Amino acid sequence: MFFLHAGRPQRPVGVSRAILSLGLILLIAAGLAAAQSVPPSNRQLADPAIERKVNALLKQMTLEEKLGQLVQYNDSGYSAPASPDDVDGARMAANPTAAEHVDSMQLAASGRLGSMLNTVGKERTNAFQRVAVEKSRLHIPLLFGADIIHGFRTIYPQPLGLAASWDPTLVEHLSRISAGEAVTAGVRWFYSPMVDVSRDSRWGRITESAGEDPYLGSAMAAAYVRGYQQNDLSKPDSVAACVKHYAAYGAAEAGREYNTTDMSESRLRQVYLPPYKAAVEAGAASMMSSFNSLNGLPATANPYLMNTILRQQWGFDGLVISDYTAIMELRAHGIALDAATAARKALLAGVDVDMMSHYYDTELPALIKSGKVPMAVVDEAVRRVLRVKFALGLFEHPYAEGPEVTAAVAAHRPLVRQAAEESFVLLQNKDANGHPVLPLANDTKTVALIGPLADDEGQMVGSWSAGGRESEVVTMRKALEARAKQQGSTLLYARGTDIDGRSEAGFAEAVSAAQKADLVLMALGESGEMSSEGGSRSILGLPGNQQKLLAAVVATGKPVVLLAFSGRALTLPWEAEHVAAIMAVWFPGTEAGNALASVLYGDVAPSGKLPISFPRNVGQEPLYYAELFTGRPPTGVDLTHFPKGEERFRSRYVDVPNDALFPFGFGLSYTTFDYRDVAVSRAELPVREARGTKPLVVATATVTNTGKVEATEVVECYVRDMGASLAQPVRSLKGFTRVTLKPGESKKVSFNLGFDELSFFTNEGKAVIEPSEYTVWIGGSSTATGHANFTVTP
C-alpha cells in the first residue's frame, strides 16, 4: 500500500453565512435541467440501457445513500467537526481525539461512500469493495481513483517531457499500458490527464502539462483519453479519465501555485479551453474543477464553466469532481462564509463529487430540506456518478481480478524507453571550432560522468511517480557503465555536489575526473519536487551551486555536454555561451539511463522539440511564442518618422532581447533538414465558404534530410491572421507531423486547414472567420521562415 497524494494544510476561514435568493437557485436548477444543445460527448454514458438502470436504482435510494455517491474519502475516512467553527479537516485527521472519527469501512458498509482517493492495491481495494457490495443495502460498488500521471509501475517521462515528443500516438500507447497495470490494483479512475495550458515556467505544475500551446495540448489531451478509455469503458483494462484542472489553472498569476487568473473571454476560449474541449470530444468520463478563481469566481463555484460551457455548449455528460478540499477552500477564497454556503454554491455550479471536504454529506440534507438546493440537482449529480460506474462495468465486475502488477513490467520497458528517447531535445551541439560534440564516438576512450543526477534513481521519475520503485530505475551511471564495459572504454564518475548543494567539497574530485577524460557529461538540474505541485520557483537557473561546479569543469578545457533534468524551462544563458552541447532530458522515467545512452551514442537520433519557450532570464516570464502584436513591436515596423532619439520607444527590454533563448518547437538532430516549396492550395477563400468541417485550405511543403544519418523530424505548421477585428497572435501552431527520412530522402507533407484552424474567438465567445490576410509557415520550429499567403475575401 502506498499513498500518492499528501493532504494539504487548510487555512482558517470565517463563519458567518451569506444566503442566495431562492429565485436565483431555481434559475440555476433550471439551467442544470435544460436540454443539451449539442450531442453527448460520450455515447456510452448516454446509452439508454445504462440510463434505465441508473433511474431504477435512483428510485430506491435514500437521501443518505444519494449523498454517499457524491462524496470521496481516502482510507482514513473523515473526522466530524467538533464545533461548527472547526473546519480544519487536515488538522483533525492528524488528531482524531479532536472530533468523532468515521472510518471509510463504516461509510462503505452503510452506503455513504461513493468513491475513494488513492486507495491502491488489489487486497486493499477488494476489502473496501467487498464491504460496499456485500454489506450496503443497495450493493453499489465503489470507484477507486488515483493520481496516476505518467505511469503506474513502469514510469515514463512526465507529461511535459512527453509533449516534447510531439507524438500523440506514442502517448496513447503509453496511457494504455498505464491503465492496464493499474486496473490489476483495483484502480479504474485516473486523475489524469492534466491539460492546463501554461506559459510561465515559474509554475511548478507545468511539469504535468503539455506546455504553452493549445493546439499541441489538445492533441496530447485527446491521446491520453483514448489510451485510458479505449473508446469503451466497459473493457476490463480501461480506466475512466479525469481531465484536470478545469479551467485555466495553468494561467496562475506570477506562476504562483493556486493563484488567481483573470482574462478576456477571447483568450479563455482561444488559448486555455481548447485542450479541455479536445478531451471532452475524445469522450472523457470526468472532469476535475480547479483550485483557482477565474475572473474573480473560483472554478469550483463557477456555473458558467461547469454548466454553460462544459455541459450545455460542449455536451459533456460525465461527472465533475472537485480537487482536494476545493469546496472547503471556497471559504478561504472569500465567497462563502460557512460550510453550507460553500456546499450549495459548488453543487449548484455543477460539481458532482466532493473530494475530501466533508461538506456535501453534512450540509446538503438541511439545504435540501429548506429548499435552498433542489432535489432535482442532487438526483442529476447522482445520475452522473452512477452512469460512470455502470459504463465501467463495476456492477458486474466490482473486484480487481487476476495477478496484480507490483513491479515495472519488462514487456513495457521498450515502449517507455522509446518515449524517453523521443522526449529529449537537443538544444545545442557545437564546440568552439563549430564541430558537433554529439553523438559520442563508440571509440571514445574515457568519459567522465559528473553531477547529482547521474546516479539518483529517485530523481529520474520526477514527481507523481505513482507506484514506481526506485530500485527498478536505470540511472545514467548504470547504463553508461554497461556501455563502457561492452566497448572496452572507461567511465569515471563523480557526484560533485547535491542538487541544491552549497558545499564545494566534491568539486576537486569532479575536476580531476574531467581532466582525465576525453569528454565530460554533466547531469545537472532540478529535483522532482522542485517541478511539482507547490513547486513554484522565482529563480529558474540550475539550483544550488551546480553552475559553479559546471564552470569549474568547463575551465578544464574538455568538451562538455550538459544534460539538463527538469520539469520546466530553465534559464541557461551562461551555459549556452560556455558549454558545447546541451540537451533537455526532463525526468525520463524507469528507462532513463538506457534511453540517454542510446541517444548520446547515436543509436537513436534526437527528435524532440520544445513544448515551452526557454527564457533568457526569469524576468521574461510569462514567455510564449504566440504573443499578440503591439503598436510598437521590437522589430519589423518602420519608426523612422519618430523624432530623433526616440526610436528606442518600442515594446522591448533594454537589457535582454525579447525572444526566447530556445524557442517553442525548436530542437536539433544529428542531421539537418531543409524545407522548400511552401505553398497553399488557393490564393483566395470567399468568407461565405469559410464554414463546415471540410478543409478550406491545404498547405504543403517538401522536407529533405540533408545530413548523413536517418532521423525523424517534427514538421510544424503555423498560421497568422492579419486584419481581423481582434488582434491575433504573431503566429499560432495549427498542425504538425513526424516524418522519418533517410539521408538525402525528401517527402512532401500537407496540412489541412479548416474552420477550427483558421477561426478565432470573439469576446462574445463565438468562433468566426473574417475577411483578412493569412500567412502560413511550415518548418522545424516556431521561427520557421518558409511561408505562403492567402486572403479571405468578403
Side-chain angles (χ1 to χ4, degrees):
M1 178 59 201
F2 55 90
F3 293 94
L4 301 169
H5 200 309
R8 298 181 179 84
Q10 302 306 307
R11 297 177 286 277
V13 293
V15 297
S16 61
R17 181 170 303 214
I19 300 177
L20 206 66
S21 70
L22 181 60
L24 179 57
I25 292 171
L26 294 177
L27 180 63
I28 296 172
L32 282 170
Q36 292 175 326
S37 58
V38 293
S41 60
N42 186 311
R43 295 186 182 279
Q44 194 172 3
L45 296 180
D47 185 344
I50 286 180
E51 196 66 10
R52 287 192 292 271
K53 294 178 182 178
V54 167
N55 287 330
L57 182 56
L58 188 67
K59 290 177 182 178
Q60 304 175 56
M61 298 174 73
T62 65
L63 176 60
E64 187 175 64
E65 289 167 334
K66 290 178 180 179
L67 296 183
Q69 293 303 304
L70 307 186
V71 297
Q72 179 179 93
Y73 296 108
N74 57 23
D75 278 19
S76 301
Y78 67 82
S79 295
S83 73
D85 295 342
D86 192 350
V87 297
D88 192 345
R91 179 176 59 78
M92 290 187 298
N95 182 20
T97 61
E100 175 194 4
H101 183 75
V102 181
D103 183 79
S104 291
M105 281 289 188
Q106 297 173 259
L107 296 171
S110 58
R112 293 183 291 151
L113 182 62
S115 58
M116 297 190 69
L117 168 68
N118 289 327
T119 298
V120 178
K122 180 180 178 181
E123 181 179 354
R124 190 66 174 157
T125 56
N126 281 352
F128 278 103
Q129 193 72 287
R130 191 166 290 109
V131 168
V133 171
E134 297 179 8
K135 293 189 176 182
S136 69
R137 187 178 73 90
L138 293 177
H139 317 295
I140 300 174
L142 298 171
L143 177 56
F144 297 95
D147 289 291
I148 297 172
I149 310 301
H150 56 117
F152 179 58
R153 298 292 187 187
T154 319
I155 308 301
Y156 40 87
Q158 86 279 38
L160 188 64
L162 281 187
S165 73
W166 295 56
D167 192 344
T169 300
L170 173 68
V171 170
E172 184 174 342
H173 292 161
L174 291 166
S175 302
R176 178 85 307 281
I177 67 171
S178 179
E181 291 181 4
V183 296
T184 69
V187 179
R188 296 297 304 278
W189 191 12
F190 279 12
Y191 302 130
S192 171
M194 191 190 101
V195 303
D196 306 311
V197 171
S198 179
R199 295 173 158 186
D200 194 331
S201 283
R202 293 173 296 182
W203 189 50
R205 296 197 83 169
I206 196 172
T207 189
E208 298 176 56
S209 80
E212 71 182 58
D213 187 78
Y215 189 93
L216 177 61
S218 295
M220 293 298 171
Y224 281 108
V225 173
R226 290 193 302 268
Y228 292 151
Q229 298 187 175
Q230 302 185 83
N231 296 316
D232 186 354
L233 289 169
S234 68
K235 290 184 176 180
D237 57 347
S238 285
V239 299
C242 185
V243 181
K244 62 185 187 184
H245 306 83
Y246 186 70
Y249 184 43
E253 287 185 0
R256 195 170 68 246
E257 186 66 83
Y258 316 124
N259 207 4
T260 188
T261 63
D262 201 290
M263 65 187 66
S264 67
E265 185 75 8
S266 175
R267 173 165 288 195
L268 176 67
R269 298 265 187 172
Q270 197 155 317
V271 176
Y272 291 95
L273 291 188
Y276 307 108
K277 187 172 189 288
V280 168
E281 290 174 344
S286 64
M287 301 282 283
M288 181 182 291
S289 70
S290 56
F291 288 117
N292 60 285
S293 63
L294 175 64
N295 301 337
L297 183 59
T300 304
N302 195 320
Y304 179 64
L305 286 177
M306 302 299 167
N307 291 325
T308 302
I309 295 178
L310 182 62
R311 292 197 168 102
Q312 294 174 24
Q313 295 180 4
W314 293 356
F316 177 71
D317 47 8
L319 69 88
V320 174
I321 184 171
S322 79
D323 207 335
Y324 196 100
T325 67
I327 296 175
M328 180 188 295
E329 292 170 26
L330 294 178
R331 298 175 68 177
H333 274 287
I335 70 157
L337 296 177
D338 52 41
T341 304
R344 174 175 54 79
K345 286 190 172 185
L347 187 66
L348 293 179
V351 177
D352 303 308
V353 178
D354 174 1
M355 181 193 286
M356 296 297 293
S357 287
H358 187 40
Y359 277 14
Y360 277 8
D361 41 2
T362 56
E363 302 299 332
L364 287 179
L367 290 168
I368 295 166
K369 185 176 181 180
S370 69
K372 293 176 181 177
V373 170
M375 194 66 214
V377 176
V378 175
D379 285 348
E380 186 55 36
V382 176
R383 285 191 183 94
R384 292 172 185 141
V385 174
L386 294 178
R387 286 177 193 133
V388 173
K389 290 185 176 184
F390 275 112
L392 284 167
L394 289 176
F395 285 86
E396 296 80 14
H397 304 285
Y399 303 112
E401 300 173 346
E404 180 179 356
V405 175
T406 58
V409 178
H412 295 166
R413 283 182 177 267
L415 185 64
V416 167
R417 176 174 173 173
Q418 177 190 341
E421 292 167 350
E422 290 191 15
S423 76
F424 302 150
V425 184
L426 183 60
L427 300 175
Q428 187 163 292
N429 189 24
K430 189 186 300 182
D431 65 16
N433 298 315
H435 300 136
V437 177
L438 296 175
L440 303 179
N442 286 325
D443 59 358
T444 303
K445 295 299 183 183
T446 305
V447 173
L449 175 62
I450 299 171
L453 288 147
D455 196 31
D456 191 328
E457 294 94 340
Q459 300 303 339
M460 292 300 97
V461 294
S463 59
W464 299 107
S465 55
R469 295 178 176 176
E470 292 183 12
S471 60
E472 298 175 336
V473 173
V474 180
T475 66
M476 282 188 67
R477 185 182 182 185
K478 290 178 185 176
L480 292 176
E481 282 179 343
R483 187 91 180 204
K485 183 177 181 180
Q486 177 186 351
Q487 297 175 175
S489 57
T490 300
L491 180 74
L492 305 175
Y493 166 73
R495 183 176 177 84
T497 189
D498 294 330
I499 292 176
D500 203 18
R502 296 294 183 267
S503 172
E504 298 179 18
F507 279 27
E509 180 187 13
V511 170
S512 176
Q515 290 171 334
K516 297 173 185 177
D518 300 311
L519 180 140
V520 183
L521 302 174
M522 298 292 295
L524 306 177
E526 298 183 308
S527 67
E529 68 178 11
M530 288 178 176
S531 290
S532 64
E533 184 172 0
S536 298
R537 293 181 64 197
S538 64
I539 299 173
L540 299 181
L542 295 174
N545 60 1
Q546 291 186 54
Q547 189 185 91
K548 193 170 184 179
L549 171 65
L550 177 61
V553 171
V554 168
T556 65
K558 297 301 178 74
V560 174
V561 177
L562 170 59
L563 303 169
F565 293 81
S566 72
R568 51 161 54 92
L570 299 176
T571 52
L572 302 170
W574 186 93
E575 292 80 356
E577 183 177 351
H578 294 91
V579 177
I582 303 174
M583 189 181 293
V585 298
W586 320 109
F587 296 109
T590 303
E591 282 287 297
N594 288 331
L596 282 162
S598 293
V599 173
L600 288 170
Y601 277 95
D603 302 338
V604 177
S607 61
K609 302 279 188 167
L610 289 180
I612 44 173
S613 303
F614 271 49
R616 299 173 186 274
N617 66 44
V618 72
Q620 293 178 286
E621 293 293 314
L623 178 67
Y624 49 96
Y625 81 95
E627 62 184 359
L628 298 183
F629 283 105
T630 70
R632 297 183 180 184
T635 61
V637 174
D638 182 12
L639 295 182
T640 55
H641 61 283
F642 271 43
K644 187 176 181 180
E646 295 189 8
E647 295 88 349
R648 68 188 296 269
F649 296 114
R650 295 175 180 266
S651 179
R652 64 185 180 92
Y653 298 103
V654 298
D655 55 353
V656 68
N658 281 23
D659 63 345
L661 180 64
F662 300 112
F664 175 86
F666 174 78
L668 300 173
S669 179
Y670 292 155
T671 188
T672 54
F673 296 96
D674 175 69
Y675 288 86
R676 55 184 172 83
D677 301 333
V678 177
V680 291
S681 59
R682 60 197 304 178
E684 293 186 348
L685 169 66
V687 71
R688 65 180 179 277
E689 297 180 15
R691 58 175 62 91
T693 59
K694 64 183 180 183
L696 302 175
V697 176
V698 179
T700 57
T702 299
V703 58
T704 302
N705 182 342
T706 54
K708 297 180 179 180
V709 299
E710 180 176 327
T712 297
E713 169 74 334
V714 177
V715 182
E716 305 162 36
C717 178
Y718 295 85
V719 172
R720 180 177 69 196
D721 177 4
M722 290 287 284
S725 57
L726 288 182
Q728 296 304 303
V730 295
R731 61 178 71 186
S732 300
L733 180 71
K734 296 301 180 182
F736 63 88
T737 187
R738 291 173 57 87
V739 177
T740 301
L741 299 172
K742 294 181 172 60
E745 184 180 4
S746 297
K747 184 173 182 179
K748 186 175 183 179
V749 294
S750 62
F751 298 95
N752 294 329
L753 304 177
F755 182 85
D756 289 344
E757 289 76 22
L758 300 179
S759 61
F760 69 91
F761 278 95
T762 67
N763 277 318
E764 289 70 45
K766 183 179 180 181
V768 299
I769 294 178
E770 298 175 340
S772 54
E773 297 179 355
Y774 285 79
T775 301
V776 180
W777 291 267
I778 297 177
S781 80
S782 58
T783 61
T785 57
H787 66 279
N789 302 300
F790 69 92
T791 301
V792 174
T793 59

